PDB file of all heavy atoms in Angstrom:
ATOM      1  N   MET A 174     191.869  -8.254 227.550  1.00  0.00           N
ATOM      2  CA  MET A 174     192.177  -7.717 228.855  1.00  0.00           C
ATOM      3  C   MET A 174     191.029  -6.803 229.280  1.00  0.00           C
ATOM      4  O   MET A 174     190.505  -6.036 228.491  1.00  0.00           O
ATOM      5  CB  MET A 174     193.488  -6.934 228.822  1.00  0.00           C
ATOM      6  CG  MET A 174     193.776  -6.212 230.115  1.00  0.00           C
ATOM      7  SD  MET A 174     195.333  -5.310 230.102  1.00  0.00           S
ATOM      8  CE  MET A 174     196.430  -6.655 230.465  1.00  0.00           C
ATOM      9  N   LYS A 175     190.665  -6.852 230.534  1.00  0.00           N
ATOM     10  CA  LYS A 175     189.596  -6.021 231.073  1.00  0.00           C
ATOM     11  C   LYS A 175     190.087  -4.583 231.239  1.00  0.00           C
ATOM     12  O   LYS A 175     191.212  -4.336 231.645  1.00  0.00           O
ATOM     13  CB  LYS A 175     189.154  -6.567 232.429  1.00  0.00           C
ATOM     14  CG  LYS A 175     188.014  -5.809 233.025  1.00  0.00           C
ATOM     15  CD  LYS A 175     187.587  -6.418 234.349  1.00  0.00           C
ATOM     16  CE  LYS A 175     186.484  -5.585 234.961  1.00  0.00           C
ATOM     17  NZ  LYS A 175     186.117  -6.039 236.285  1.00  0.00           N
ATOM     18  N   CYS A 176     189.216  -3.634 230.897  1.00  0.00           N
ATOM     19  CA  CYS A 176     189.513  -2.218 231.088  1.00  0.00           C
ATOM     20  C   CYS A 176     188.336  -1.575 231.807  1.00  0.00           C
ATOM     21  O   CYS A 176     187.223  -1.575 231.294  1.00  0.00           O
ATOM     22  CB  CYS A 176     189.752  -1.533 229.748  1.00  0.00           C
ATOM     23  SG  CYS A 176     190.148   0.221 229.914  1.00  0.00           S
ATOM     24  N   ASP A 177     188.581  -1.040 232.988  1.00  0.00           N
ATOM     25  CA  ASP A 177     187.519  -0.448 233.798  1.00  0.00           C
ATOM     26  C   ASP A 177     187.301   1.034 233.506  1.00  0.00           C
ATOM     27  O   ASP A 177     186.446   1.654 234.110  1.00  0.00           O
ATOM     28  CB  ASP A 177     187.834  -0.594 235.287  1.00  0.00           C
ATOM     29  CG  ASP A 177     187.725  -2.034 235.749  1.00  0.00           C
ATOM     30  OD1 ASP A 177     186.931  -2.785 235.155  1.00  0.00           O
ATOM     31  OD2 ASP A 177     188.441  -2.409 236.697  1.00  0.00           O
ATOM     32  N   HIS A 178     188.071   1.601 232.597  1.00  0.00           N
ATOM     33  CA  HIS A 178     188.016   3.032 232.339  1.00  0.00           C
ATOM     34  C   HIS A 178     187.221   3.315 231.069  1.00  0.00           C
ATOM     35  O   HIS A 178     187.729   3.221 229.958  1.00  0.00           O
ATOM     36  CB  HIS A 178     189.424   3.615 232.268  1.00  0.00           C
ATOM     37  CG  HIS A 178     190.208   3.351 233.515  1.00  0.00           C
ATOM     38  ND1 HIS A 178     190.019   4.084 234.661  1.00  0.00           N
ATOM     39  CD2 HIS A 178     191.141   2.417 233.806  1.00  0.00           C
ATOM     40  CE1 HIS A 178     190.810   3.621 235.608  1.00  0.00           C
ATOM     41  NE2 HIS A 178     191.498   2.604 235.126  1.00  0.00           N
ATOM     42  N   ARG A 181     188.388   5.772 227.922  1.00  0.00           N
ATOM     43  CA  ARG A 181     189.626   5.533 227.174  1.00  0.00           C
ATOM     44  C   ARG A 181     189.257   5.003 225.808  1.00  0.00           C
ATOM     45  O   ARG A 181     188.360   4.176 225.667  1.00  0.00           O
ATOM     46  CB  ARG A 181     190.522   4.547 227.915  1.00  0.00           C
ATOM     47  CG  ARG A 181     191.044   5.191 229.184  1.00  0.00           C
ATOM     48  CD  ARG A 181     192.136   4.384 229.797  1.00  0.00           C
ATOM     49  NE  ARG A 181     192.685   5.121 230.923  1.00  0.00           N
ATOM     50  CZ  ARG A 181     193.239   4.565 231.955  1.00  0.00           C
ATOM     51  NH1 ARG A 181     193.331   3.264 232.031  1.00  0.00           N
ATOM     52  NH2 ARG A 181     193.729   5.298 232.929  1.00  0.00           N
ATOM     53  N   ILE A 182     189.946   5.460 224.783  1.00  0.00           N
ATOM     54  CA  ILE A 182     189.513   5.104 223.424  1.00  0.00           C
ATOM     55  C   ILE A 182     189.740   3.632 223.091  1.00  0.00           C
ATOM     56  O   ILE A 182     189.112   3.125 222.172  1.00  0.00           O
ATOM     57  CB  ILE A 182     190.138   6.008 222.343  1.00  0.00           C
ATOM     58  CG1 ILE A 182     191.635   5.820 222.238  1.00  0.00           C
ATOM     59  CG2 ILE A 182     189.777   7.449 222.566  1.00  0.00           C
ATOM     60  CD1 ILE A 182     192.225   6.498 221.016  1.00  0.00           C
ATOM     61  N   TYR A 183     190.602   2.948 223.811  1.00  0.00           N
ATOM     62  CA  TYR A 183     190.833   1.529 223.538  1.00  0.00           C
ATOM     63  C   TYR A 183     189.901   0.617 224.330  1.00  0.00           C
ATOM     64  O   TYR A 183     190.074  -0.588 224.348  1.00  0.00           O
ATOM     65  CB  TYR A 183     192.282   1.148 223.805  1.00  0.00           C
ATOM     66  CG  TYR A 183     193.251   1.837 222.879  1.00  0.00           C
ATOM     67  CD1 TYR A 183     194.161   2.766 223.343  1.00  0.00           C
ATOM     68  CD2 TYR A 183     193.230   1.553 221.514  1.00  0.00           C
ATOM     69  CE1 TYR A 183     195.049   3.396 222.485  1.00  0.00           C
ATOM     70  CE2 TYR A 183     194.109   2.180 220.651  1.00  0.00           C
ATOM     71  CZ  TYR A 183     195.010   3.095 221.147  1.00  0.00           C
ATOM     72  OH  TYR A 183     195.876   3.718 220.279  1.00  0.00           O
ATOM     73  N   ASN A 184     188.913   1.162 225.002  1.00  0.00           N
ATOM     74  CA  ASN A 184     187.952   0.398 225.785  1.00  0.00           C
ATOM     75  C   ASN A 184     186.669   0.222 224.977  1.00  0.00           C
ATOM     76  O   ASN A 184     186.051   1.175 224.546  1.00  0.00           O
ATOM     77  CB  ASN A 184     187.649   1.149 227.083  1.00  0.00           C
ATOM     78  CG  ASN A 184     186.570   0.481 227.916  1.00  0.00           C
ATOM     79  OD1 ASN A 184     185.693  -0.205 227.418  1.00  0.00           O
ATOM     80  ND2 ASN A 184     186.616   0.722 229.206  1.00  0.00           N
ATOM     81  N   LYS A 185     186.268  -1.025 224.781  1.00  0.00           N
ATOM     82  CA  LYS A 185     184.988  -1.324 224.141  1.00  0.00           C
ATOM     83  C   LYS A 185     184.308  -2.396 224.974  1.00  0.00           C
ATOM     84  O   LYS A 185     184.836  -3.498 225.131  1.00  0.00           O
ATOM     85  CB  LYS A 185     185.172  -1.808 222.714  1.00  0.00           C
ATOM     86  CG  LYS A 185     183.853  -2.049 222.004  1.00  0.00           C
ATOM     87  CD  LYS A 185     184.049  -2.351 220.539  1.00  0.00           C
ATOM     88  CE  LYS A 185     182.690  -2.480 219.878  1.00  0.00           C
ATOM     89  NZ  LYS A 185     182.836  -2.779 218.459  1.00  0.00           N
ATOM     90  N   ASP A 186     183.160  -2.064 225.522  1.00  0.00           N
ATOM     91  CA  ASP A 186     182.428  -2.991 226.390  1.00  0.00           C
ATOM     92  C   ASP A 186     183.312  -3.482 227.540  1.00  0.00           C
ATOM     93  O   ASP A 186     183.280  -4.646 227.918  1.00  0.00           O
ATOM     94  CB  ASP A 186     181.872  -4.169 225.590  1.00  0.00           C
ATOM     95  CG  ASP A 186     180.901  -3.726 224.506  1.00  0.00           C
ATOM     96  OD1 ASP A 186     180.159  -2.742 224.747  1.00  0.00           O
ATOM     97  OD2 ASP A 186     180.877  -4.344 223.437  1.00  0.00           O
ATOM     98  N   PHE A 187     184.119  -2.571 228.075  1.00  0.00           N
ATOM     99  CA  PHE A 187     185.024  -2.827 229.200  1.00  0.00           C
ATOM    100  C   PHE A 187     186.096  -3.868 228.885  1.00  0.00           C
ATOM    101  O   PHE A 187     186.591  -4.555 229.759  1.00  0.00           O
ATOM    102  CB  PHE A 187     184.249  -3.175 230.476  1.00  0.00           C
ATOM    103  CG  PHE A 187     183.424  -2.014 230.942  1.00  0.00           C
ATOM    104  CD1 PHE A 187     182.071  -1.959 230.657  1.00  0.00           C
ATOM    105  CD2 PHE A 187     184.000  -0.961 231.627  1.00  0.00           C
ATOM    106  CE1 PHE A 187     181.305  -0.874 231.059  1.00  0.00           C
ATOM    107  CE2 PHE A 187     183.253   0.125 232.023  1.00  0.00           C
ATOM    108  CZ  PHE A 187     181.898   0.166 231.734  1.00  0.00           C
ATOM    109  N   LYS A 188     186.461  -3.957 227.617  1.00  0.00           N
ATOM    110  CA  LYS A 188     187.573  -4.808 227.193  1.00  0.00           C
ATOM    111  C   LYS A 188     188.558  -3.957 226.413  1.00  0.00           C
ATOM    112  O   LYS A 188     188.168  -3.131 225.585  1.00  0.00           O
ATOM    113  CB  LYS A 188     187.075  -5.962 226.332  1.00  0.00           C
ATOM    114  CG  LYS A 188     186.241  -6.938 227.122  1.00  0.00           C
ATOM    115  CD  LYS A 188     185.809  -8.094 226.289  1.00  0.00           C
ATOM    116  CE  LYS A 188     184.949  -9.030 227.141  1.00  0.00           C
ATOM    117  NZ  LYS A 188     184.263 -10.008 226.357  1.00  0.00           N
ATOM    118  N   CYS A 189     189.838  -4.167 226.662  1.00  0.00           N
ATOM    119  CA  CYS A 189     190.882  -3.434 225.958  1.00  0.00           C
ATOM    120  C   CYS A 189     190.997  -3.972 224.537  1.00  0.00           C
ATOM    121  O   CYS A 189     191.053  -5.182 224.314  1.00  0.00           O
ATOM    122  CB  CYS A 189     192.210  -3.579 226.690  1.00  0.00           C
ATOM    123  SG  CYS A 189     193.531  -2.629 225.907  1.00  0.00           S
ATOM    124  N   LEU A 190     191.040  -3.072 223.561  1.00  0.00           N
ATOM    125  CA  LEU A 190     191.143  -3.459 222.164  1.00  0.00           C
ATOM    126  C   LEU A 190     192.593  -3.705 221.722  1.00  0.00           C
ATOM    127  O   LEU A 190     192.814  -4.232 220.636  1.00  0.00           O
ATOM    128  CB  LEU A 190     190.532  -2.371 221.272  1.00  0.00           C
ATOM    129  CG  LEU A 190     189.048  -2.093 221.495  1.00  0.00           C
ATOM    130  CD1 LEU A 190     188.605  -0.918 220.637  1.00  0.00           C
ATOM    131  CD2 LEU A 190     188.216  -3.323 221.192  1.00  0.00           C
ATOM    132  N   LEU A 191     193.552  -3.322 222.546  1.00  0.00           N
ATOM    133  CA  LEU A 191     194.957  -3.489 222.183  1.00  0.00           C
ATOM    134  C   LEU A 191     195.409  -4.935 222.367  1.00  0.00           C
ATOM    135  O   LEU A 191     194.975  -5.612 223.281  1.00  0.00           O
ATOM    136  CB  LEU A 191     195.835  -2.584 223.042  1.00  0.00           C
ATOM    137  CG  LEU A 191     195.593  -1.089 222.891  1.00  0.00           C
ATOM    138  CD1 LEU A 191     196.425  -0.330 223.925  1.00  0.00           C
ATOM    139  CD2 LEU A 191     195.950  -0.643 221.487  1.00  0.00           C
ATOM    140  N   LYS A 219     184.822   7.603 220.064  1.00  0.00           N
ATOM    141  CA  LYS A 219     185.763   6.483 220.173  1.00  0.00           C
ATOM    142  C   LYS A 219     185.927   5.800 218.823  1.00  0.00           C
ATOM    143  O   LYS A 219     187.044   5.536 218.375  1.00  0.00           O
ATOM    144  CB  LYS A 219     185.264   5.448 221.181  1.00  0.00           C
ATOM    145  CG  LYS A 219     185.533   5.764 222.614  1.00  0.00           C
ATOM    146  CD  LYS A 219     185.057   4.572 223.451  1.00  0.00           C
ATOM    147  CE  LYS A 219     185.251   4.735 224.901  1.00  0.00           C
ATOM    148  NZ  LYS A 219     184.807   3.550 225.649  1.00  0.00           N
TER     149      LYS A 219
END
Side-chain angles (χ1 to χ4, degrees):
M174 173 179 278
K175 183 178 177 185
C176 181
D177 290 331
H178 303 282
R181 292 192 174 152
I182 66 169
Y183 295 114
N184 175 332
K185 183 172 184 180
D186 299 325
F187 295 99
K188 292 183 181 168
C189 183
L190 299 175
L191 298 173
K219 279 184 180 181

